[in-house]
Every structure is written in structure tokens, then in C-alpha cells.
């Protein structure tokens, strides 16, 4: 059984059919790319997968569990987490607290533990600190743990967002244009990091990206979206040489 | 991270030392007759405003929602607590502690009621709804019988005047400790993450609605407690005592002390309670000086002068703001 199975997904905003009859099957451990021109509906699909929007048609199933009708917070607990095209950090919180906020449902203690600082508070907070630093180390952010997220340079903010998404311990990680605004060096480094987290954390990745070097470099399978529907799917080699895709998206 | 923890406990010890020192100083001054009658009578109002400001900061500073109904919660606590102590016939401390808990709980219940529409409203709309809430509470208290309508309650026992300063001080310290503990916990992180970006907060699995309501309930509880303390200090309460001017006064304290800055709230509450009273002598200049001080504090907060002062080496170390939230 595939990890993510989306069938006949669709949503309309007023008269606009932003996503229509969209299907996708992602196997466990896959690094999957979703590409397509601006306004094709890629981010809208992420919003549907994470419960930000409720679909007008179709079903979304993760590991056999139907996610339709669930809230974003519930879907996160079911095992999908994401980053955003426009970075959404907790900017007035420290880098460490950004990651610890994402550990909210994993290392828990009660309000009584909080108010009266019972031993469980200290124990779980220590556990959270250890876990958060461990994740920050993967992204080389541990030395910034005490800085406010707002004060990080752009590239590091992008990384922190991925770190935070990872902290929720997802089965499926959605990355919305992770390389946007990065220079070629940073992009190359990001590609290594994405491969590393797939292997080290044993998760599946679906990413949206306009940088074709990144896409062909790390994605094992691609779906091209155009006007809200699937234009083509397959391995990068096949898809990126498909004349239909070249006319609709890649140009020339 | 070990280092972090040492810093943390060191800061904690310093705070405890400061709190104890302040208490000793005040008690010495009170018992030694060094405080004028006017100054002594200001001790409890300062404490009440500190409780109000610190609890309001939870909503405006940490949850990031603008509310103008804090005096409404205060009045609910004041009336609920006072009715208890008027009609109960128990030893003073037992009665007062029950009044504190019940006053806080009833206010918290209303915090829950107002917290629910908050889920649907943001920004200016929320400000208007909470403002209306405060006024509705006032009008209801004005017409129902048990609260004695516009005449208010008169025979409230003096359980929290400056003669019983110790119990008032304990309540203030407890309020501060509990709110600081909340803010620096997984619950507080959830509340702060909603302020910074509620879509991202949802996306990492934080139930946003639950924590918004939680912040309102807890904040209302402590405003209710402040109301009980207030009522048992002045002995008389009327519906008009708790109008929107009071809510705005508390909001001004929070804004001047700094959003999300507990220590700032405490200092601003103290200064802004003392100031109008100190200026009573210069009656015709009072409002003018008051306004000038407000503007000066605002400019000081916004100019970066504060940051420069704090980072200068002459500034006492223990006053420096710790990283993150305090
Ligand atoms: N909440 C909404 N209300 C109305 N229209 C929307 C909404 N969200 C998205 N759309 C529309 O849906 C279409 C798809 O938008 P979407 O953001 O998914 O594109 P995209 O593929 O992510 O593009 P880009 O590469 O520029 O990020 C656009 O026409 C957009 O205007
Ligand atoms: Mg997009």
C-alpha cells in the first residue's frame, strides 16, 4: 500500500477550479517532486493535504487513514508536516523554542506540572531540549539556539522551518519551494540535507520546486501540474523531456 | 544546554532575593511608620494593578490579542468574592481564601464564555466585542438585586488593606510565579506560537482554539482574584468602578511595560499607580505631567535608548532582560 494515496482531489474557489481530478500515489521512502507553472495549484494541493482547505471532491489517505474533514493540527498528528512558500516561523521566539513548539504533542506534561513546576516538567523539558538540539544539529543551527528566529539570515530561516516540520515526527514531509531565494551553493547544500533527512529520519518527502537542477538532482519521481490537473508523471528523465511538459512549463 | 539551566536557576534565585528584599523593605517602612498614610494606602492598589497587568499581558503580550474587557473580569471577581465574605460567617482567612478562589473561578468561567467568540474574531473586532462585554457586565450588575444595583456593595470586610499586606503580597507573588511558569512551558510556547503565526502553529499540531480559550480563562481568573483583593481593600464597590476606563488604564500599563514583558508590567504598574497620587499636590498640572510622563515612557521604549542603557556596562546586571521570555 502506498503511504499517501490521493484520488480525484478537487477544490473550487467561487468560479475558479484551482485543483481538479488530481491523483497521486507516493510510496514510503520516496523523494517525490510536484512541479508546474505559477498558479498551477501546487500550494493549494499542499493546503488540501494539510487540512488548511477542505476539498470539494476526492479523498486523501495517509497509511490507509482517511484525512478528509480533519483539522490541520489533527493531520499533523496523523503524520503530515510541512513548510510554507512564504516562511512562517514563530519569529519572536528563539530558534530552540521554534523546534520545541513542534514537539508539543510528543513530550507532554499537564497544566499542573506547568503551574507548580512538578518534577515531570523538568524531566520532559530536558528531554525536549535534547531532542530539539539534536534536530538543530542536522541543520547546523544548534549554535543559533538562543537567537530569535526573526534575526536569522534568510537561508537559515528556511532551514529552521524544515527543522521545525521534522520535529513533529512526520511520516510525510511537504516542502513548498525550499530553495526559493537561495544561491547555488545554498541550494546544493539543501539538496544534501534533504537526502540526509530522508535517510536518517526514514521519512517520505514531497516537494514543490521551480529549481530544475534541484528537482532532477534529488527527485525520484515527478508529477507536473497545469491548470489544477496532472499534465504528466514519471521519472525526472522521462517527464522533463516530455514535449508537452516542455511547451507548458519549461519553455523553448 | 547545561549552561542554559544554570543561568536559569541563577536568574530564579535573584528574582526570589529581590522579591524578599522588597517585602522586607515595605514591612520595615510600614512598621517603622516611615510611610505616610497616603503612601500606605497605595500599597494594595499597586499590588492590584500588578496582578491586573501581568494577567492582561498573558492575552495581549503572549497570545497577541487586543482586549478591552479586563475590568469586566475584575468586577465579576470583586462582586462574587464580596458577596461571599458579606454573607459567610467564617474565620477571616478561611473566608478570604474561599473568596479569592471563588472570585477567580467565576471570572474564569466568564473568561471561557468570552473566549469562545474570540475564536472567530481578530484584532479590532475582538477589541470591540470585549469592550461591549465589559459594558454589558457593568449594566447587568447595575440592575440585578443581589449586587444591590447602582448603590453597590458597602459592608465588605477589610481583609486586604495594607494592614494585611502580607497576604496581598503573597497573592501578587503567586500570580507572577504562576503566569511566568505558564509562559515558560509547553502550554506557554503554544500560546506564544499562536501569536507569532497561528497557521504555522496549527501545522505543527497545536490545537489553536483550545489554547486561545485557555489563555482567556487563566487571565480572567487572575483578574478576578485582583478584583477580590481590590474590593476587600476599599470596602465599597459600585458598577461604575469597573468601566472601560479601568480596562484602558490596565492596557496602557501593559503597553508601556512592554508586550510580553512581565517585569515591565510590574514596573509600569507601580509607576503608573504612584504617579497620579504623587501629583495630587499640583492639582492643575496633574493631568499635564501625567501625559508628559506617558509620552516620555513611550518614546523611551521605542527609541532604542532603553536597549543602549541595558547593554551599557553601568547598568546593574541583575536587571538585564533574560533571553526569550521572562
Ligand atoms: N484561498 C483562495 N481563494 C481564492 N483563490 C485561491 C485561493 N488560494 C489559491 N487560489 C488560486 O488558486 C490558483 C492556484 O494557486 P496556488 O497558490 O496553488 O499556485 P502555485 O502552483 O502554488 O503557484 P506558485 O508557483 O506561484 O506558487 C491561483 O489562481 C490562486 O489565485
Ligand atoms: Mg505556490
Amino acid at each position: 500500500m502506498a503511504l499517501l494515496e490521493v484520488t480525484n482531489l478537487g477544490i473550487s474557489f467561487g468560479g475558479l477550479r484551482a485543483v481538479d481530478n488530481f491523483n497521486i500515489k507516493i510510496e514510503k521512502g520516496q523523494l517525490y517532486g510536484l512541479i508546474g507553472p505559477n498558479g498551477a495549484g501546487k500550494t493549494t494541493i499542499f493546503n488540501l493535504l494539510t487540512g488548511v482547505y477542505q476539498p470539494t471532491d476526492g479523498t486523501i489517505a495517509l497509511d490507509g487513514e482517511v484525512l478528509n474533514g480533519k483539522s490541520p493540527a489533527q493531520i499533523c498528528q496523523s503524520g503530515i508536516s510541512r513548510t510554507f512558500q512564504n516562511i512562517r516561523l514563530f519569529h519572536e521566539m528563539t530558534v530552540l523554542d521554534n523546534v520545541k513548539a513542534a514537539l508539543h504533542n510528543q513530550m507532554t506534561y499537564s497544566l499542573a506540572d506547568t503551574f507548580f513546576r512538578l518534577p515531570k516538567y523538568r524531566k520532559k523539558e530536558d528531554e525536549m531540549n535534547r531532542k530539539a538540539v539534536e534536530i538543530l544539529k542536522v541543520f547546523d543551527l544548534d549554535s543559533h539556539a538562543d537567537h530569535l528566529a526573526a534575526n536569522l539570515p534568510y537561508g537559515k530561516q528556511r532551514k529552521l522551518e524544515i527543522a521545525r516540520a521534522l520535529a513533529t515526527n512526520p511520516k510525510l514531509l511537504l516542502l513548498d519551494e525550499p530553495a526559493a531565494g537561495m544561491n547555488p551553493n545554498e541550494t546544493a547544500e539543501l539538496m544534501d540535507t534533504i537526502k540526509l533527512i530522508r535517510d536518517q529520519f526514514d521519512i517520505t518527502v514531497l516537494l514543490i520546486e521551480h529549481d530544475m537542477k534541484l528537482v532532477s538532482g534529488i527527485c525520484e519521481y515527478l508529477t507536473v501540474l497545469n491548470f489544477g490537473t496532472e499534465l504528466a508523471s514519471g521519472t525526472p528523465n522521462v517527464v522533463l523531456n516530455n514535449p508537452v511538459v516542455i511547451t507548458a512549463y519549461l519553455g523553448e | 544546554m547545561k549552561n542554559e539551566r544554570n543561568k536559569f536557576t541563577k536568574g530564579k534565585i535573584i528574582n526570589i532575593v529581590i522579591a524578599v528584599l522588597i517585602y522586607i523593605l515595605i514591612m520595615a517602612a510600614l512598621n517603622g511608620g516611615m510611610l505616610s498614610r497616603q503612601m500606605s494606602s497605595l500599597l494594595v492598589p499597586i499590588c492590584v494593578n500588578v496582578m491586573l497587568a501581568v494577567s492582561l499581558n498573558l492575552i495581549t503580550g503572549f497570545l497577541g490579542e487586543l482586549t478591552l474587557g479586563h475590568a469586566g473580569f475584575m468586577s465579576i471577581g470583586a462582586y462574587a468574592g464580596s458577596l461571599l465574605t458579606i454573607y459567610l460567617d467564617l474565620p477571616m482567612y478561611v473566608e478570604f481564601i474561599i473568596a479569592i478562589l471563588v472570585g477567580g473561578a467565576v471570572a474564569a468561567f466568564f473568561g471561557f464564555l468570552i473566549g469562545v467568540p474570540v475564536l472567530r474574531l481578530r484584532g479590532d473586532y475582538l477589541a470591540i466585542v470585549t469592550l461591549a462585554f465589559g459594558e454589558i457586565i457593568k449594566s447587568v450588575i447595575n440592575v440585578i438585586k443581589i449586587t444591590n444595583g447602582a448603590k453597590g456593595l458597602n459592608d465588605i470586610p477589610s481583609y486586604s488593606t495594607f494592614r494585611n499586606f502580607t497576604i496581598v503580597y503573597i497573592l501578587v507573588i503567586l500570580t507572577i510565579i504562576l503566569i511566568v511558569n505558564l509562559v515558560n512551558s509547553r502550554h506557554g510556547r503554544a500560546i506564544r506560537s499562536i501569536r507569532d503565526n497561528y497557521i504555522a502553529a496549527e501545522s505543527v499540531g497545536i490545537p489553536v482554539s483550545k489554547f486561545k480559550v485557555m489563555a482567556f480563562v487563566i487571565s480572567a481568573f487572575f483578574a478576578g482574584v485582583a478584583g477580590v483583593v481590590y474590593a476587600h481593600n476599599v470596602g465599597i464597590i459600585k458598577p461604575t468602578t469597573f468601566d472601560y476606563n479601568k480596562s484602558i488604564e490596565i492596557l496602557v500599563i501593559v503597553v508601556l511595560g512592554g508586550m510580553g514583558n512581565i517585569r515591565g508590567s510590574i514596573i509600569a504598574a507601580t509607576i503608573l499607580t504612584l504617579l497620579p497620587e504623587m501629583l495630587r499636590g499640583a492639582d492643575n498640572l496633574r493631568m499635564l505631567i501625567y501625559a508628559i510622563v506617558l509620552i516620555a515612557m513611550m518614546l523611551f521604549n521605542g527609541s532604542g535608548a532603553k536597549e543602549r542603557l541595558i547593554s551599557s556596562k553601568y547598568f546593574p546586571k541583575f536587571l538585564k532582560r533574560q533571553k526569550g521570555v521572562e
Side-chain angles (χ1 to χ4, degrees):
Chain A
M1 185 181 57
L3 177 71
L4 180 76
E5 219 167 326
V6 171
T7 42
N8 189 29
L9 192 66
I11 187 169
S12 307
F13 298 114
L16 177 80
R17 190 78 183 154
V19 174
D20 188 42
N21 191 19
F22 178 76
N23 299 282
I24 198 169
K25 243 187 203 165
I26 302 180
E27 299 299 329
K28 198 166 173 340
Q30 221 169 16
L31 242 166
Y32 202 113
L34 180 61
I35 61 174
N38 292 116
K42 306 180 294 295
T43 299
T44 304
I45 287 175
F46 272 23
N47 286 336
L48 287 165
L49 294 179
T50 53
V52 176
Y53 299 149
Q54 286 302 326
T56 16
D57 314 278
T59 53
I60 301 163
L62 183 76
D63 238 354
E65 178 194 9
V66 174
L67 299 183
N68 295 51
K70 292 199 173 194
S71 73
Q74 288 169 332
I75 289 179
C76 170
Q77 292 212 56
S78 297
I80 300 184
S81 75
R82 71 177 291 186
T83 65
F84 297 87
Q85 186 168 351
N86 308 309
I87 303 178
R88 289 177 179 274
L89 287 174
F90 307 132
H91 48 274
E92 288 299 316
M93 292 165 60
T94 64
V95 168
L96 188 73
D97 268 355
N98 267 267
V99 177
K100 282 169 81 180
L103 294 170
H104 183 82
N105 292 316
Q106 291 167 69
M107 289 147 195
T108 62
Y109 50 84
S110 71
L111 255 182
D113 297 321
T114 285
F115 278 131
F116 306 112
R117 288 287 157 94
L118 302 180
K120 196 167 175 197
Y121 165 87
R122 195 65 262 164
K123 185 169 159 259
K124 292 292 172 182
E125 281 290 313
D126 284 346
E127 237 173 78
M128 278 182 164
N129 284 335
R130 269 197 303 275
K131 180 82 191 169
V133 170
E134 184 189 311
I135 294 171
L136 286 175
K137 275 196 177 130
V138 175
F139 295 87
D140 235 351
L141 285 170
D142 51 316
S143 58
H144 299 278
D146 291 337
H147 299 181
L148 285 188
N151 295 341
L152 287 182
Y154 180 85
K156 293 206 159 91
Q157 292 198 3
R158 282 241 169 256
K159 282 188 181 176
L160 176 57
E161 227 196 0
I162 303 177
R164 184 182 67 186
L166 265 185
T168 66
N169 195 23
K171 295 173 189 159
L172 175 65
L173 176 63
L174 310 181
L175 303 175
D176 199 342
E177 303 197 18
M182 286 192 175
N183 65 35
N185 283 338
E186 289 171 323
T187 305
E189 198 191 317
L190 177 73
M191 285 166 66
D192 291 338
T193 314
I194 293 174
K195 274 190 232 164
L196 178 88
I197 56 180
R198 192 262 306 257
D199 300 335
Q200 189 176 326
F201 292 81
D202 185 32
I203 58 174
T204 311
V205 178
L206 171 63
L207 63 86
I208 296 174
E209 191 46 69
H210 286 296
D211 184 329
M212 282 310 120
K213 220 172 133 226
L214 186 147
V215 169
S216 55
I218 63 173
C219 291
E220 296 146 355
Y221 210 80
L222 289 182
T223 287
V224 187
L225 199 70
N226 199 21
F227 297 116
T229 53
E230 177 185 333
L231 189 69
S233 282
T235 57
N237 244 338
V238 174
V239 169
L240 297 179
N241 293 315
N242 182 335
V244 185
V245 174
I246 292 174
T247 352
Y249 177 46
L250 299 172
E252 286 131 348
Chain B
M1 279 308 109
K2 239 206 180 110
N3 220 347
E4 171 104 335
R5 200 173 152 182
N6 282 342
K7 252 190 300 177
F8 189 67
T9 37
K10 213 172 123 197
K12 226 173 170 174
I13 290 166
I14 290 170
N15 286 336
I16 294 171
V17 170
I18 293 175
V20 172
L21 277 181
I22 291 176
Y23 175 70
I24 292 172
L25 275 176
I26 292 174
M27 287 315 274
L30 261 179
N31 293 330
M34 278 185 284
L35 291 182
S36 64
R37 228 202 117 61
Q38 188 204 11
M39 280 302 277
S40 322
S41 69
L42 279 177
L43 285 173
V44 176
I46 289 174
C47 290
V48 168
N49 278 347
V50 167
M51 285 196 259
L52 289 169
V54 169
S55 58
L56 180 64
N57 211 337
L58 180 62
I59 296 180
T60 49
F62 294 104
L63 181 65
E65 298 283 7
L66 183 59
T67 131
L68 296 173
H70 217 51
F73 297 134
M74 182 192 180
S75 72
I76 291 167
Y79 272 95
S82 303
L83 286 170
L84 267 175
T85 51
I86 289 172
Y87 290 112
L88 280 182
D89 198 10
L90 293 167
M92 165 185 158
Y93 281 109
V94 179
E95 219 177 85
F96 190 55
I97 289 171
I98 295 177
I100 289 285
L101 292 176
V102 170
V106 176
F109 174 70
F110 278 83
F112 175 77
L113 291 188
I114 192 76
V116 174
V118 165
L119 303 176
R120 315 213 149 266
L121 301 167
R122 292 191 67 78
D124 311 345
Y125 293 102
L126 177 62
I128 292 167
V129 167
T130 49
L131 183 77
F133 160 76
E135 292 302 297
I136 291 170
I137 294 290
K138 201 178 86 184
S139 316
V140 170
I141 290 176
N142 219 335
V143 293
I144 54 179
K145 216 167 185 174
I146 186 163
T147 57
N148 202 20
K151 279 190 239 112
L153 299 176
N154 292 313
D155 308 315
I156 307 168
S158 306
Y159 288 163
S160 56
T161 61
F162 65 88
R163 284 180 198 85
N164 295 319
F165 183 70
T166 303
I167 191 165
V168 177
Y169 194 73
I170 291 173
L171 285 172
V172 174
I173 297 294
L174 270 180
T175 302
I176 296 169
I177 290 177
L178 292 177
I179 296 222
V180 168
N181 282 354
L182 173 70
V183 165
N184 293 314
S185 70
R186 66 185 275 268
H187 306 97
R189 249 186 321 266
I191 289 170
R192 286 182 280 139
S193 72
I194 294 168
R195 166 198 67 194
D196 283 356
N197 199 308
Y198 79 94
I199 292 181
E202 280 180 324
S203 86
V204 296
I206 290 168
V208 168
S209 310
K210 177 180 144 189
F211 280 97
K212 275 188 175 177
V213 175
M214 186 191 284
F216 266 82
V217 168
I218 293 169
S219 175
F221 178 88
F222 288 106
V225 171
V228 178
V229 174
Y230 173 88
H232 292 79
N233 178 43
V234 295
I236 306 166
I237 52 176
K238 288 188 181 129
T240 45
T241 317
F242 310 99
D243 63 357
Y244 66 88
N245 281 318
K246 183 67 191 171
S247 295
I248 289 173
E249 184 193 327
I250 309 162
L251 186 65
V252 167
I253 292 173
V254 171
V255 171
L256 283 179
M259 297 279 202
N261 185 344
I262 299 283
R263 201 170 292 172
S265 287
I266 298 169
I267 294 169
T270 309
I271 294 177
L272 290 186
T273 316
L274 285 174
L275 195 64
E277 297 299 323
M278 309 284 262
L279 294 175
R280 252 190 217 292
D283 233 359
N284 33 9
L285 287 179
R286 194 157 75 102
M287 285 323 283
L288 181 66
I289 298 178
Y290 188 67
I292 290 174
V293 171
L294 280 186
I295 294 171
M297 281 175 81
M298 207 110 87
L299 290 177
F300 178 64
N301 266 343
S303 65
K306 186 164 79 179
E307 274 63 39
R308 278 198 297 279
L309 178 68
I310 289 174
S311 55
S312 89
K313 60 180 180 224
Y314 302 110
F315 195 74
K317 236 196 186 136
F318 67 89
L319 282 178
K320 291 196 181 182
R321 211 180 148 188
Q322 293 144 0
K323 262 184 208 108
V325 285
E326 301 171 345

